Every structure is written in C-alpha cells, then in structure tokens.
Amino acid sequence: MKTKRIVWLTAIWLVMTQLSFSEQWVQDLNKGWTFHKVGSAKWYNAKVPGCVHTDLMDNKLIPDPFYRDNETKVQWVDKNSWEYKTDFTADEALMKMERIILDFKGLDTYADIFVNDRLLKSTDNMFCEWEVDIKPVLKSGENTLRILFHSPVAMGILSRDKFNLEAPNGYNLEFLNNDWPNVGPYMRKASYMFGWDWGPKLTTSGIWRPVYLKAWNTARINSLSIVQKEITAKKAKASAVFSIESSESMDATLNVDYSLNGSKISVKPVPVNLNKGINEVSVDIEIAKPAIWWPNGLGAHPVYSFTGSLKGQEKELDRISTKTGLRTVKLVQKPESDGGSTFYFEVNGVPVFAKGANYIPSDIFPSRVTDDHYREMLKLAADANMNMLRVWGGGIYESDLFYDLCDELGLMVWQDFAFAIYHMPDYKEFYESIQKELGDNITRLRNHPSIVLWCGNNETDLLWNVLFKRYFGIPYDEAEGKLLESLIPFLPAVDSINPVSKQRVLKEYDTVFYSIIPEAIQKYDYNARDYWPSSPMGGYRKPGTMTKPYSGDMHYYVAVINKPFSDYFEMQSHFFSEHGFHAWPDKKTVYEFTSVSDRSENSAVMKSHIKAANGSTLIRKYMDMYYKSPKNFDSYLYVSQLLQVHCMKMALELHRSRMPFTMGTLYWQLNDVWPVASWASLDFQNNPKALHYFVKKAFSPVIVVPSDYKGQFTVTGVSDKLQDINATLQMKIMDFSGKVLWSKESPVKLKANSSQVVYESKTTELIKNIDTTKAVFVAKLMQGKQVLAANEFYFSEPKDLSFTKADISRQVVETATGYTVTLTSTVLQKNVCLSSDEDIKFSDNYFDLLPGEKVTIQCTTSGKIENFNDKLKVISLVDTY
C-alpha cells in the first residue's frame, strides 16, 4: 500500500512538472551506451561522459596507463576509430514539440552523428558545443543514436596534408615519436593529450561532456549576460542581456529578479516584441549598496543570482538563471621612463599583487574529474592564500563548476584560449571552427567575475619571435634567438623557406591572434575584458621578454637555462606568469605506480614518469649543488621536494618583496594530470607536496623576507593589507642548539599594499665571528604577543649545514576532527616531515623546528586511527644521509 502511494504521488508530481513547464523539455542521454572498435563485431558497455581509454580500462581491455610503463602499451588506441551508440524513446508528447534537438556539450573530436542511421552532422572541434536538429528523422517509439569517432591521428594527418605546409611547432612529446607525424597542431583538440613535459601521450576520443535531448515550443532563451556598467559603493548599474530564439513574431514579457543570500528582488517586468529568429533584449538593473566582489585576501566574494522568465501567449515559455559578482577590473599598462610599461591588475580601483599558480587539466582524461576533486583542489589553492590561477592554453576550457568555485573562493582567472606553442592551418574551415569555439566558450564563461583576462595563447609569440623567424629567414633578436636555440635542439637550422610559405604563416598568426580572437571578444564578451595576445610577450605586437623584461609578462626557468637558483635575483619582470622547478611527489604516490623493483632513481619505470627533458639528470645535478646525497630511494624523493622548495621559496618571496615593480608571480604549476615528477605543488590526487605548504607561507597577507644579495643583507616587510600596520621587528641569529649569537628589535610601520626594507646591513658585519654552518637567522613581525609573520634564513646551503641528530619529542591529543601533534626538539630540526600510510591531512609540514620551540600540527582524519602515534612517522633532513 505504501509503495502504491509513492507511485501515485510521483505520477502527480510528473504531471504537474509537465504542465508547469510544458514549453521546454530536457532529458539527459548519458545512460545505456555501448562502444566498439570500428571493424570489430563485439560491443562493450561505455560511460558517458567518458572516453575510449577509460571505457577500455573499465572493460579490462587495456591496463591502467598510469601504472609502471603501461603508457607505452596503449599507443595503438588513438590509431583506431571507435563507435558509440545508445537508444532512446520518443513519446507522442515529445513528437508534438516544435523543435527537437540533441545537445552535445563536448565531443572529442572528429565525430559523425547518426540518428536512425541518418548522418546529421560531422564535428571537428573538441571545445565546441554541438546542437543537432533531429525532428526530421525522429520517429515515435525507439530511436538509435550512433556516434562514429575517427582516429585523431588519421584526421590530424589529413588536416596537416590539407594545410600543405610543414610549419615549425613547439615542444611536445610527439617530437619523440618517429613512427607518426606531429599532428596535434593541425586539429582543435587539447594539446596536452599529445604529450607534454609533465604528462603522458594518451590521445583520447569520446563523448567527454554530457548529452541532452531537448525540445521546445514557440521560443527559448539561449543565453543571459549580465553587463556591468557602473559599480560604486552606493549603487551598481547593470543590464541583463537576453538572446531569445523565437519561431514566430509575438508580444511577450520578461520578468527579471536578482538575489543574494536568499533575499530576492524583482525588477519591473519589461514588455518585448519578438521577431521570428534571434532577438537580443536588454533589461536595465540598478542595485542599491551592492555587495562588491573582491579577490581572495582582500575582501568577500559575494555572488549574485539573476533569473529571467519569458512569458507569452499567457504562459511561461522559458526561464534562465546565471550568477555573477559585481566588481571592476583592468590590466594596467602605464608607460615608464625606461621605455617599458607596467603590468598589473587593478580590481575595484586597487592594485592587486597576483599570487598564484598555473592550472593544467586535472586528469589526462578530463571526463573523470569529480566535483569533489575540483572543490578540494581549489580550496587548497585559496587556503594557500592564492588569488589568481592561470588556466593554461594547452589544456581545455574548464567545467562550469571550476569557474563557479573560483567565483566563490575569490580566485581570479587568467584565461588562455586553447592554443599552445604552435602554428596552425590557415584554411577557411579551420578558421570557422575556431570562430565557433570562441563564441561557444566566451558566451559560456563571460558572466564569471573570476575571469579577469583573456589571453590568446601560450608561448607561441615567444617562440615565433626568437626561433621561428630564423626558420623562415626573418630578422630576429640574435641574443634571444641564440639562447632559445640552445634550449630547443629540434628546431631545424633552415633559412631557405620559400616566401609564399613564410607569408602564409605570418598571415595565419596575425589572423588568429590579432583579428579572429579580438573580434570574438568584442562580439561575445559584453563586459569587454582586457586581451593579451600571448604569454609571455613584451607588449601588444611586441616581441618576447627574455632579454627585455620590463614590459609585459615573463616565463622563466633556472634549470632550463642552466643557472643557479640565485639567478632569480638577476632576472626581473613586472609579472612572472610562469616559473618553477620540478620534483617528485610523495613516497605514497610513487609507490602506487611502481613495483618494488622499480624503486630506484634511474629505473626505467621512474624515467617513464618524468617527462621533462633531462628531468632525472637535472634533479640530480641541482640536488648535488644544494644538498648532501640522499642515502636511499625514499630519502631521494623527500629531498627532491626540498630542492623544489629551496628554489621556489627564494623566488616567491623575492617577487613579493619587489612590489610594486613586480606585481605578479604565478608559479608553474598547481596540479598534475597523472603521477609524475613535475613542477606541481599538488600531485594528481590533490596531495600537497612540500612546495604547497611553503606557498601558503610565501603568499600570506603579511610576510617578512630576510635576504642576502651581493653582500648586502636585508629584511623586507611585505603587506597586501589595505591598511597600514604598526608592528615590532624581532631578529636574532642563534646556533642550532638555541644559543642566541646576535639579536635586535625595532618598531616598524608597514604601509598598506606595499613592500619596504625594514632592516639592512653588510652581510660580513652581521655574521662576523659566526660559524654560518651552525647558525640560523630568525625574523618575526609582532603585534604584542601575536606573530604577524616569521621566517628563517641560512647563510650556507643545506649541504654545508652541520646538523646534530636528536629525538623529536611529540605529544598527541585526540580531537573531534583527528589529532593534534605538538613537536619539540633540543636542537634545530630542518624540514620536519610528518607522514603515515593512513589517510591524514596535515595543517603544516616540511617546516623548520627551532630548538626549544613548540610547533602544533592539526592532523585531520576521517575517523579514529588505532595506535595513531605508532603509525605517524616524523623525520627531518638530518635523517636522509
């Protein structure tokens, strides 16, 4: 009886839903799919969204390519074509609807779409949304949807042949695959899937975003854009701009409301006269005392909800909702006396130092990234005091949730368009595909307050100006050219390309990045964000920044140019949009992709999980420069992370201490696509490496930076706060047993949103008669008993420091969320690391434990851990040799 009542109530709810929203109908088609290799008779179950690699893994047809060197065993997959199919039912109510379409949010990449064996559309772009009119072929009852995915390698070769020009292209792992030509640049597909210096070559096909069956009568709202016209503390003036598609001319009414924190306000209804076809209708909105959106660390990040309802013929025809935050933002490039120009972001009239990282896709197979993964990763970024992420151009335009979370967390987004280190075909159909891609994605993303900049591409301008010009016999900067030629040995040494080919490539670059993209921004981004054609570059239509760094942004890697970490002091830029040093992830992650026999520094499997050119050699080279040789494999993994920190701590603190000359530092990179030695601070499962803990400290709102450069020792105070700060600077030098060898204290006033030197001395005077192999400089900024900022500095490299082995005492207390662990030691313990085979999240790690001081760490667990104290391992640097 209870079951019958539930069925009856459900039926009533369905009828009411249909009656109240009868003009619009949506059903997802993400169930019941099967797939097979073209030419094979056997079909297997498939997941949608998904891709052929994950479906093959689920059906035990290929091994996990992340384990050991299995990547090499699945390279046959992208050389084949694959077919997917499912059935769906059309009832009488659906058949009576005026318009019936299939909406594909993402098809990867060359796909033929069949309904009831009728070819309806062929796609050629992974980044587009595809709508297909199926009413002419739909039949009452069961229908079959079939999608044929052509081999991306085969289609890339065809596109390459149609281009009929072997254009020079930047680095990816296809250059190391001599069996097949380099095809990635010749198609609109995520570049990183063809291999990169941190990712595998796993070139996918499949239905990578959801599929929907949609139908409507009379009219539908295609999009809603919130255009911000004037934002002040007293009021915000905006317009809600609707794109409405109507099947007939008619009178209608638009009802608009907006809300924040559940408080809804309605705007006066607006009568509209719709013409048949596409109509653009604008509704003015004025918000009194608006809540202003600020980047993380500078204020709150409120997000307003806006809803529009279209009514006509005495019924609701459609409704749409969107969200946005109210703020002003611009990229400020003011001319300077040295001939350069500034490069910084101004939000709500305030210059903002951009603190953050570069973001790459969260998995080589993006369809399997979960909502929880996004939430955890972006929360880790915000908790590390970041306020900006650069969404890198070799990946994808991310999911709606990704940008929603950036909005909510106050993470500004520098959004690259999906182009990276290559030149592309110049034929008409390719340009048309790019234009559709830009329209689809700018329209989808334009309401997000987090997006503060559109950028044309990653590094294409840099390589064009210093490398490819030489390839085509065009004058170039010899200093930059010689530098980068030495770094990229695969560039052909050719100066005799024919003039026609030269002009084609020049025209293609200008067409895409100086015509097609700016025109698309003007057409689709009603808020007209700033556009930067390429990262890095020295200015609009100006060459790159390797030897002229005082305009624009810069990419900089000490290991690539074979320099010591101290070279960061020599290299200056207004904005470092990429820089970093690579390291292995934690032991636990490495053990997951290796067998016992693989666990040595130079094993074949370990080398297969380090894609950087000469990656293992470089880690060992720099490790020998700065650290004593680790005694075993586990110690090697740990010290590799300390090496990464040693470089990046210097870099991030230096960049912040140079504000306002330098106004941004985005390290490479936040995350990984698979388990690998890379520049990331989070591994592909969101486990923090040592770097991530140090990033949080380096990006704190207030920091104190001790530094020794060319014999001059300085302490710099840096504050992002928008108010001045009165504090006391406490400094001391002590030996590793805690004996104070020198101390000084002075009042300081940190000015708002600035950096300033608060102490300086000749280094030789400061350390006179001090054994620097056994001493540490400690600086603290205090307000009463509150520590605003603290930092340590060593006058000798880690390999030259003389540590004494001693026990680290611990006190463990169980809490509601896990445990607290309080550590003390009688001698200095450098880079104390807590670890466990259990699933534990640590509030801090890899920190220096000063003699006699207590450090308390929050250990968050999912439940009680039996014998927690025994399962918690604690080591420091002295234990690794």
Side-chain angles (χ1 to χ4, degrees), residues 106-111 123-130 149-153 155-160 169 183-194 196 203-206 208 392-397 415-441 455-458 460 508 512-513 516-517:
L107 296 174
D108 180 13
T109 291
Y110 290 94
T123 73
D124 63 355
N125 192 317
M126 176 182 179
F127 307 117
C128 291
E129 178 178 349
W130 302 96
F149 290 97
H150 297 280
S151 160
V153 173
M155 297 304 290
I157 291 172
L158 291 175
S159 179
R160 178 176 175 268
N169 294 290
V183 299
Y186 306 101
M187 64 181 78
R188 294 307 300 141
K189 178 175 173 62
S191 301
Y192 81 108
M193 293 179 175
F194 296 94
W196 219 265
T203 311
T204 66
S205 295
W208 75 290
W392 172 72
I396 61 175
Y397 303 95
Q415 178 67 52
D416 281 5
F417 291 105
F419 303 91
I421 320 183
Y422 57 70
H423 293 273
M424 66 201 79
D426 60 352
Y427 54 83
K428 180 182 176 221
E429 294 84 357
F430 204 87
Y431 286 163
E432 289 173 346
S433 183
I434 291 172
Q435 287 169 326
K436 175 172 172 50
E437 167 191 327
L438 295 171
D440 287 355
N441 287 285
C455 180
N457 66 69
N458 171 74
T460 308
E508 168 269 314
V512 173
F513 298 109
I516 290 177
I517 293 179

Side-chain angles (χ1 to χ4, degrees), residues 377-391:
M377 176 188 63
L378 294 174
K379 184 67 163 52
L380 283 166
D383 287 348
N385 298 304
M386 296 186 197
N387 61 24
M388 178 177 280
L389 295 176
R390 173 178 171 237
V391 178

Side-chain angles (χ1 to χ4, degrees), residues 485-603:
E485 286 165 21
S486 67
L487 307 177
I488 308 180
F490 51 73
L491 181 74
V494 178
D495 289 318
S496 58
I497 301 298
N498 71 70
V500 174
S501 298
K502 180 195 309 182
Q503 290 306 313
R504 281 182 64 192
V505 173
L506 279 170
K507 187 173 184 298
E508 168 269 314
Y509 185 81
D510 277 355
T511 297
V512 173
F513 298 109
Y514 290 99
S515 293
I516 290 177
I517 293 179
E519 289 167 5
I521 293 171
Q522 184 177 18
K523 181 177 180 180
Y524 298 108
D525 182 10
Y526 296 165
N527 284 297
R529 290 170 179 83
D530 285 309
Y531 171 61
W532 188 239
S534 183
S535 179
M537 62 184 295
Y540 204 79
R541 290 184 182 270
K542 292 181 180 179
T545 58
M546 289 295 288
T547 60
K548 302 181 183 71
Y550 301 127
S551 292
D553 64 319
M554 186 178 194
H555 295 186
Y556 173 68
Y557 295 89
V558 288
V560 173
I561 59 175
N562 195 29
K563 296 286 187 178
F565 295 161
S566 59
D567 195 61
Y568 267 103
F569 283 96
E570 306 298 328
M571 194 58 64
Q572 296 191 45
S573 175
H574 286 306
F575 201 104
F576 287 86
S577 50
E578 275 192 32
H579 63 103
F581 192 87
H582 60 296
W584 286 101
D586 280 345
K587 176 179 85 169
K588 188 186 296 186
T589 300
V590 173
Y591 278 27
E592 287 180 358
F593 72 77
T594 58
S595 66
V596 174
S597 61
D598 302 325
R599 292 167 192 161
S600 62
E601 178 180 344
N602 292 307
S603 73

Side-chain angles (χ1 to χ4, degrees), residues 360-381:
I360 63 175
S362 290
D363 197 318
I364 195 67
F365 309 124
S367 57
R368 69 179 182 181
V369 182
T370 66
D371 291 356
D372 285 345
H373 182 94
Y374 280 125
R375 290 189 180 95
E376 181 181 48
M377 176 188 63
L378 294 174
K379 184 67 163 52
L380 283 166

Side-chain angles (χ1 to χ4, degrees), residues 204-424:
T204 66
S205 295
I207 308 169
W208 75 290
R209 281 182 168 159
V211 183
Y212 297 98
L213 176 62
K214 294 183 176 180
W216 68 94
N217 292 324
T218 313
R220 70 165 176 171
I221 305 173
N222 290 328
S223 67
L224 167 59
S225 179
I226 306 302
V227 184
Q228 302 184 32
K229 297 180 176 179
E230 179 185 340
I231 309 295
T232 68
K234 292 183 178 180
K235 66 181 176 181
K237 290 184 177 181
S239 293
V241 181
F242 296 83
S243 174
I244 302 172
E245 183 178 354
S246 181
S247 62
E248 59 184 83
S249 297
M250 59 180 292
D251 293 332
T253 302
L254 269 174
N255 294 283
V256 179
D257 62 62
Y258 63 90
S259 63
L260 180 67
N261 301 324
S263 177
K264 185 169 75 171
I265 298 177
S266 296
V267 179
K268 183 179 179 180
V270 176
V272 294
N273 302 114
L274 297 179
N275 297 315
K276 184 177 180 179
I278 303 297
N279 301 261
E280 186 169 282
V281 182
S282 180
V283 178
D284 291 334
I285 301 171
E286 188 167 304
I287 302 174
K289 295 181 179 180
I292 304 298
W293 188 96
W294 286 93
N296 187 34
L298 293 180
H301 348 287
V303 177
Y304 283 83
S305 295
F306 294 83
T307 299
S309 170
L310 178 68
K311 293 187 176 181
Q313 302 174 346
E314 299 183 350
K315 56 192 171 186
E316 183 176 81
L317 300 175
D318 199 6
R319 65 169 49 234
I320 191 171
S321 295
T322 191
K323 295 180 179 181
T324 197
L326 303 176
R327 85 308 180 247
T328 63
V329 63
K330 63 180 178 178
L331 176 63
V332 180
Q333 298 181 81
K334 294 179 182 176
E336 296 181 305
S337 59
D338 62 5
S341 60
T342 64
F343 192 100
Y344 67 89
F345 293 90
E346 184 180 277
V347 182
N348 302 321
V350 175
V352 176
F353 189 101
K355 304 179 296 187
N358 288 261
Y359 169 82
I360 63 175
S362 290
D363 197 318
I364 195 67
F365 309 124
S367 57
R368 69 179 182 181
V369 182
T370 66
D371 291 356
D372 285 345
H373 182 94
Y374 280 125
R375 290 189 180 95
E376 181 181 48
M377 176 188 63
L378 294 174
K379 184 67 163 52
L380 283 166
D383 287 348
N385 298 304
M386 296 186 197
N387 61 24
M388 178 177 280
L389 295 176
R390 173 178 171 237
V391 178
W392 172 72
I396 61 175
Y397 303 95
E398 264 298 340
S399 70
D400 293 337
L401 177 64
F402 176 91
Y403 299 99
D404 287 342
L405 291 168
C406 288
D407 295 344
E408 294 168 12
L409 294 167
L411 293 171
M412 296 182 289
V413 172
W414 167 318
Q415 178 67 52
D416 281 5
F417 291 105
F419 303 91
I421 320 183
Y422 57 70
H423 293 273
M424 66 201 79

